[in-house]
Amino acid sequence: MFFGHISNYNPKSYPSAIAFALDYLRGTDFNQLDAGVYELKGRSVFVQVLDLTTKKLEDFQPEVHRNYLDVQYLHCGKEIMACAVDTEQNPVAQVYDPERDIQFYQNVENEQILHCVAGSFAVFFPEDCHRTAVYDGTPTIRKVVVKIAMSEIK
């Protein structure tokens, strides 16, 4: 997992596909885009622009992906992102759905809390459980998630 702010990152510190996503996030005016899905490199790299209502942490189940990583970027508002290492020993709430590339756990051990402000980003790899859009003082947020196929990571 990586965590940072879009105003202060060094693209040379990241694999090229993640640096590409961060450059896209820094250079795009998401106030001008409608919520929806946008392809950057076909289905290998695509973007989800989301307008979300934040909820309590316990209202979300930890999730993991197997074939994509998430670059989660908070465009406006405040939220909590929670993350933990996927030990694959956590109790499963929903088995892996290959069409959606998602699996949910009932809970995870040693979860860490990240307090995010506009411009914060986190990169969640397949080995990272995560819960996002957790209430931290802002009832609605605009998030952008860049999904990168693991085959793009070199």
Side-chain angles (χ1 to χ4, degrees):
M1 188 207 77
F2 299 129
F3 182 69
H5 196 276
I6 202 69
S7 67
N8 184 25
Y9 74 94
N10 178 354
K12 294 178 183 173
S13 300
Y14 298 95
S16 60
I18 295 172
F20 171 82
L22 293 172
D23 288 343
Y24 170 79
L25 291 169
R26 184 165 34 190
T28 303
D29 182 357
F30 292 104
N31 294 322
Q32 301 301 313
L33 288 178
D34 292 330
V37 177
Y38 302 88
E39 292 186 356
L40 297 180
K41 291 185 177 179
R43 294 304 287 178
S44 294
V45 181
F46 63 96
V47 177
Q48 299 169 322
V49 178
L50 307 163
D51 293 320
L52 301 171
T53 300
T54 56
K55 300 177 187 175
K56 296 183 291 188
L57 183 67
E58 56 269 17
D59 290 340
F60 294 100
Q61 294 176 315
E63 66 183 64
V64 291
H65 310 288
R66 299 290 177 228
N67 297 314
Y68 286 85
L69 65 79
D70 284 359
V71 180
Q72 297 218 4
Y73 166 69
L74 181 61
H75 178 64
C76 64
K78 290 175 28 180
E79 74 171 316
I80 290 172
M81 295 185 199
C83 59
V85 173
D86 183 9
T87 63
E88 298 184 13
Q89 301 300 310
N90 303 305
V92 174
Q94 273 187 312
V95 296
Y96 178 70
D97 178 347
E99 293 215 8
R100 293 184 54 219
D101 188 39
I102 197 164
Q103 177 176 327
F104 292 99
Y105 290 118
Q106 293 173 21
N107 54 54
V108 294
E109 294 181 341
N110 303 314
E111 193 169 39
Q112 302 297 308
I113 300 298
L114 305 170
H115 292 272
C116 304
V117 296
S120 294
F121 70 85
V123 179
F124 297 112
F125 291 87
E127 60 271 14
D128 301 319
C129 300
H130 55 282
R131 297 193 257 185
T132 65
V134 175
Y135 181 80
D136 195 20
T138 306
T140 59
I141 59 174
R142 175 159 267 212
K143 284 200 70 154
V144 180
V145 180
V146 180
K147 304 288 281 184
I148 302 174
M150 289 305 296
S151 60
E152 294 289 311
I153 303 299
K154 300 173 175 109

